[in-house]
Amino acid sequence: MTPSVARLAAQAEPVQESVAVATSGVGKRYGRKWALRDCTLEVPEGRICGLVGANGAGKTTLLKLLVGLARPSTGSVQVLRRPPSDTTAFLRDVGYLAQDVPLYRRWSAADHLAMGANLNPVWDVEATRARLRALDIPLDQRVGTMSGGQRAQVALGLALGKRPRLLLLDEPVAALDPLARREFLATLSAAVADAAGELTVILSSHLVSDLERICDHLIVLAESRTVLAGELDEIVGSHRLLTSAKRDTSSIERQHTVLRTEQTPRQTAVWVRLDGPLHDPSWQNDELSLEEIVLAYLGQRSQPPGVDVSAPSGGQR
Amino acid sequence: MTWLLWRQHRLQAAWSGGALALLAIILWWTGVRMADTYRAALACRTSSTCGSVALFQGYGALTTLVNLTIAVPLLLGVFWGGPLIGREIETGTHTLAWTQSVSRRHWLYSKLILLVLATMVWSTGLTAIVTWWSGTLNSVRGNRFDPGIFEVQGVVPVAYSLFAVALGVAAGAVFRRTLPALAVTVFGYAAVRIVVDNYVRSHYRAPVVSAARLDQASPASSGSWTISNDLTLNGHPVSGPLNVNFQCGGVGTRQAMDKCLGDLGYQLTTKYQPANRYWPFQFIESALFVALALVLIAVCVIAVRRRDA
Amino acid sequence: MLTLRLTTHSNVPAYVQIVQQVRQALLADVLKPGDQLPTVKDVVSELAINPNTVLKAYRELEREGLVEGRQGVGTFARRRPAGPPPGTQAALTRSLAHWVGTARQAGFDDAGMEGLLRTILMAATDEAIA
């Protein structure tokens, strides 16, 4: 575990909360290529956790490891306090929605719900039908002829119908128009509200604005590694943008974790995570939006050429 | 799981059931008539009341159809075996099926059991009808042991079908894409069958080799499988055209020619499998293909259970 | 039923926005003591935000004594916060809306208006203390 992630984890977690997902040094290799490595994180129960990262950063791999569709090459995974297994006892508690929302195209929504009722020991018939009806989704129409948003809602209903304790969603709204996206997230949030703390959601997405609205926990993956993990409020509260007239940044670098520095002829700007109180009032101290924070982490390894940037010193990885 | 299997495969069941029923009706209707014609021909022969009897005229197309059922196992392999698992993985719906509460193992075994049972039932039904229908022709032509006829009657078609669907489902599970699986199924099935037909089958038991004069009856009775007929002169193989104009040029009939050649020392060496080995050969070949099928099903199970989704 | 809205990209956290809107509604008599507040599920179905945000807001309102939660039933308004009577509230709202309209026409943007309000509030607080 990197020192920075460990610090955040220690700060964020109250001692007695139970943990829905915990990984330790998990890695997954396909042939020679590592899709995910050295991943250590914890997600407490009852949270809606966002998973952010560039394409190929390992988001899909992580979700597959959590549901048991793939097995880790190194490290361990604990989901609801046991490792994923190919058994009814495990699968009944975990719902999964793959990217591209695979459904049986020739089936109707009612067919899919019937499948859910037949293949799961617990199935909430009424709530699922009511949810789809409230969204004006016809139950007897072929799923292949529905819009992307309707298909996503059918798949979500199918995943929620078995009353899982953990729900894993792999970029479910990536291909949806803004209205369908909003409706999907609203349905998801309502289901979490209904479950009153019994449902944990991990949701991967590119759209930080969506995650900002609906998530209270965040994981950022960059180049197949976790670079940030913790409570959303805490993350937003501890990351700041410090600006001042051009000056040396070494005192900041010593005491806090610097993500990015920009030096122009007149100004110095530092993207920083405060690891303690900031004692120097000569810095102008502004908030950073979640999007800017995530971009700073994602951009750390690969700075664009042409920007006069000083390399962040040690203390962060 | 039962619900899922029915819902996914009910159309296939309907089509194949319908096709089998249709074929059964046609073959039953014509088969009865053929048998009646044959019985009448036998009866009139003994009582010498035959006019001109044209046996089985007009049944040419049907006979061809029956002969074409040799392709049925491959069709089953391509349409039933390949898509069963391969198509689900290709379209991604396996992540849907494997994340309900049914374990991957349970899903896989249920599907495989359905495939094997359905194949056995359907193939047995087809083979039974074809074998029954062919009964009359077998009596008349005595060629049921011959390549081309051997493969569509008896029990081997069921074994071929099991092999083909096992190959299809294993290819689908390993390659996870329709086209490669299809190619492997078609070429793999054809290759194995051609090799067994031409090189393996004649060796299940050592063929009988017997020599006889040309004017004697062949030692291979009706219903035997004649593998080869070689002409010998005083025990040595002869090939090419015979130059016997001097000795036997003047004889008139075929029978006299045969006697003349026999007197010169010509014989026919027949390598054959006797008719009473028909069923043993059927069972040996079936066992071979069933064993191959079992190996392929094991491959499929490993491919699905061990690999990541 | 009270409709809640959310402004993203605002400096004000989401739960604070909800607290403010409920307080405004109580001041304007849109929400009267005894009325039921929208359920957490209703709010998130409309706004697609995290349920904990709404819970946090309702807890804060409960802490201020403005609402009370009844187990298994819902959250209900309890009393009107200290503030101007409804008539004055409405008049002040109208005059502020008028001022905003004038300022916008003059070229003021939202950030500028918010900054100005903050400056004046701070000055007024200093005056009140002094």
Side-chain angles (χ1 to χ4, degrees):
Chain A
M1 203 192 292
T2 64
S4 46
V5 174
R7 222 177 334 221
L8 256 184
Q11 284 169 349
E13 304 307 313
V15 183
Q16 294 306 325
E17 229 176 353
S18 56
V19 163
V21 166
T23 71
S24 174
V26 144
K28 177 67 188 167
R29 182 169 54 174
Y30 290 105
R32 286 240 189 88
K33 185 172 176 301
W34 286 90
L36 188 69
R37 47 192 328 172
D38 206 17
C39 174
T40 302
L41 52 86
E42 269 188 10
V43 178
E45 267 188 27
R47 298 288 194 276
I48 302 182
C49 178
L51 184 57
V52 169
N55 288 330
K59 304 194 295 287
T60 301
T61 308
L62 177 60
L63 293 175
K64 283 194 173 164
L65 288 172
L66 293 179
V67 76
L69 285 175
R71 271 161 283 239
S73 310
T74 59
S76 70
V77 177
Q78 292 272 319
V79 173
L80 300 169
R81 281 182 297 278
R82 75 264 217 210
S85 60
D86 186 30
T87 58
T88 302
F90 175 78
L91 291 168
R92 65 188 290 176
D93 282 336
V94 180
Y96 177 79
L97 187 46
Q99 226 168 352
D100 302 334
V101 184
L103 293 172
Y104 293 105
R105 294 291 168 119
R106 292 219 190 88
W107 287 15
S108 67
D111 283 331
H112 284 91
L113 297 191
M115 173 177 85
N118 274 287
L119 293 187
N120 292 296
V122 171
W123 186 258
D124 197 341
V125 178
E126 268 322 304
T128 316
R129 292 184 91 100
R131 199 180 286 127
L132 292 182
R133 239 182 275 124
L135 293 160
D136 284 331
I137 291 179
L139 289 175
D140 290 314
Q141 186 185 331
R142 277 194 182 177
V143 160
T145 59
M146 287 184 185
S147 70
Q150 289 177 317
R151 272 206 294 276
Q153 289 285 7
V154 170
L156 181 60
L158 189 54
L160 287 171
K162 69 194 220 192
R163 315 276 255 135
R165 287 170 56 201
L166 172 67
L167 185 59
L168 304 170
L169 308 172
D170 194 352
E171 297 206 39
V173 297
L176 303 185
D177 63 79
L179 182 60
R181 226 165 56 219
R182 173 63 66 90
E183 281 186 339
F184 184 92
L185 294 175
T187 308
L188 181 62
S189 191
V192 173
D194 259 345
E198 302 270 303
L199 174 60
T200 311
V201 177
I202 301 183
L203 155 73
S204 81
S205 177
H206 283 138
L207 296 157
V208 181
S209 51
D210 281 345
L211 297 181
E212 202 166 10
R213 261 181 113 87
I214 200 177
C215 296
D216 46 11
H217 201 93
L218 188 72
I219 301 170
V220 178
L221 295 180
E223 295 178 7
S224 314
R225 294 192 139 91
T226 31
V227 295
L228 179 62
E231 297 285 318
L232 203 65
D233 289 342
E234 208 271 323
I235 289 175
V236 172
S238 63
H239 286 77
R240 315 292 289 187
L241 175 65
L242 304 178
T243 43
S244 91
K246 190 167 174 78
R247 60 186 280 181
D248 168 64
T249 57
S250 49
S251 63
I252 295 288
E253 285 166 15
R254 262 200 310 276
Q255 296 176 343
H256 308 285
T257 311
V258 170
L259 302 175
R260 185 179 160 200
T261 313
E262 237 178 59
Q263 304 268 16
T264 64
R266 300 252 176 95
Q267 258 206 336
T268 300
V270 186
W271 280 253
V272 74
R273 180 172 65 236
L274 297 175
D275 295 325
L278 183 68
H279 292 301
D280 190 343
S282 58
W283 288 99
Q284 183 186 329
N285 185 342
D286 290 312
E287 270 190 5
L288 279 171
S289 75
L290 185 64
E291 179 133 31
E292 289 168 318
I293 297 171
V294 169
L295 284 173
Y297 277 96
L298 292 183
Q300 263 191 311
R301 292 254 174 114
S302 44
Q303 294 291 0
V307 173
D308 181 10
V309 183
S310 64
S313 62
Q316 54 186 22
R317 202 166 305 272
Chain B
M1 200 63 213
T2 326
W3 182 92
L4 180 66
L5 291 174
W6 174 243
R7 182 65 185 80
Q8 277 192 296
H9 302 293
R10 63 187 186 189
L11 264 184
Q12 269 175 319
W15 278 108
S16 46
L20 184 62
L22 185 63
L23 199 61
I25 291 171
I26 295 174
L27 289 181
W28 175 78
W29 197 64
T30 53
V32 166
R33 290 160 73 100
M34 281 169 74
D36 286 345
T37 312
Y38 183 54
R39 263 196 297 280
L42 284 179
C44 82
R45 193 171 68 182
T46 53
S47 63
S48 305
T49 53
C50 300
S52 71
V53 176
L55 267 182
F56 311 134
Q57 250 191 353
Y59 289 108
L62 211 50
T63 314
T64 311
L65 179 65
V66 164
N67 291 339
L68 285 179
T69 58
I70 200 174
V72 160
L74 182 57
L75 291 178
L76 289 182
V78 165
F79 288 108
W80 282 12
L84 188 74
I85 289 170
R87 182 126 179 81
E88 284 240 39
I89 299 185
E90 189 179 28
T91 56
T93 51
H94 65 302
T95 60
L96 195 60
W98 295 357
T99 55
Q100 302 307 307
S101 300
V102 170
S103 72
R104 201 192 295 192
R105 199 172 13 108
H106 185 59
W107 178 88
L108 175 65
Y109 291 156
S110 306
K111 284 222 163 194
L112 287 176
I113 289 173
L114 173 69
L115 180 68
V116 167
L117 284 180
T119 303
M120 281 178 67
V121 165
W122 199 89
S123 181
T124 305
L126 179 65
T127 310
I129 298 165
V130 165
T131 308
W132 170 83
W133 184 89
S134 306
T136 315
L137 282 176
N138 289 342
S139 307
V140 170
R141 298 183 186 168
N143 60 355
R144 71 172 183 173
F145 210 151
D146 289 354
I149 314 292
F150 183 80
E151 292 98 341
V152 299
Q153 298 181 29
V155 282
V156 284
V158 180
Y160 295 159
S161 301
L162 287 173
F163 167 67
V165 296
L167 180 58
V169 79
V174 167
F175 294 103
R176 302 177 159 202
R177 307 246 308 282
T178 316
L179 236 40
L182 180 73
V184 166
T185 308
V186 169
F187 289 118
Y189 179 80
V192 171
R193 287 271 288 105
I194 287 171
V195 164
V196 169
D197 266 11
N198 293 323
Y199 302 109
V200 179
R201 188 184 298 153
S202 47
H203 300 299
Y204 293 153
R205 285 166 73 170
V208 174
V209 181
S210 176
R213 285 168 56 101
L214 285 129
D215 52 358
Q216 286 173 330
S218 170
S221 56
S222 171
S224 301
W225 175 25
T226 305
I227 298 173
S228 62
N229 266 323
D230 296 310
L231 201 59
T232 60
L233 177 60
N234 296 326
H236 301 296
V238 166
S239 60
L242 299 179
N243 192 357
V244 293
N245 263 332
F246 179 63
Q247 297 96 324
C248 301
V251 295
T253 64
R254 174 67 187 269
Q255 274 177 317
M257 168 65 88
D258 285 343
K259 184 176 182 307
C260 179
L261 288 171
D263 291 336
L264 287 174
Y266 282 100
Q267 285 191 324
L268 206 57
T269 302
T270 310
K271 191 156 83 164
Y272 68 103
Q273 299 282 3
N276 61 6
R277 289 187 185 175
Y278 175 79
W279 282 110
F281 268 49
Q282 281 266 333
F283 287 122
I284 293 172
E285 184 144 324
S286 300
L288 172 65
F289 277 88
V290 167
L292 287 174
L294 289 175
V295 167
L296 287 165
I297 288 180
V299 167
C300 173
V301 168
I302 292 174
V304 171
R305 289 201 62 191
R306 293 291 215 76
R307 279 172 68 165
D308 300 314
Chain C
M1 186 70 95
L2 176 65
T3 319
L4 293 171
R5 291 167 53 228
L6 205 66
T7 316
T8 47
H9 304 301
S10 153
N11 286 334
V12 182
Y15 87 98
V16 173
Q17 292 186 36
I18 295 178
V19 168
Q20 286 175 343
Q21 285 178 52
V22 171
R23 217 188 268 128
Q24 283 302 106
L26 284 168
L27 274 175
D29 270 355
V30 167
L31 202 59
K32 297 197 186 49
D35 285 348
Q36 183 177 16
L37 268 62
T39 62
V40 175
K41 188 173 173 185
D42 288 335
V43 176
V44 303
S45 298
E46 189 59 42
L47 297 180
I49 57 175
N50 195 293
N52 285 330
T53 310
V54 184
L55 285 169
K56 208 165 158 189
Y58 283 12
R59 269 201 298 274
E60 175 66 24
L61 288 164
E62 201 166 5
R63 206 183 54 79
E64 292 179 15
L66 295 176
V67 307
E68 63 183 348
R70 289 181 216 156
Q71 187 71 284
V73 188
T75 311
F76 292 82
R78 195 157 155 270
R79 63 171 178 81
R80 202 167 169 278
T88 320
Q89 167 90 353
L92 283 170
T93 310
R94 271 198 305 275
S95 69
L96 183 60
H98 179 78
W99 181 89
V100 168
T102 316
R104 271 222 186 98
Q105 276 188 329
F108 242 135
D109 68 353
D110 284 9
M113 282 189 262
E114 280 181 35
L116 180 61
L117 179 62
R118 239 178 277 135
T119 312
I120 295 189
L121 282 171
M122 281 196 287
T125 316
D126 292 341
E127 261 184 34
I129 295 174

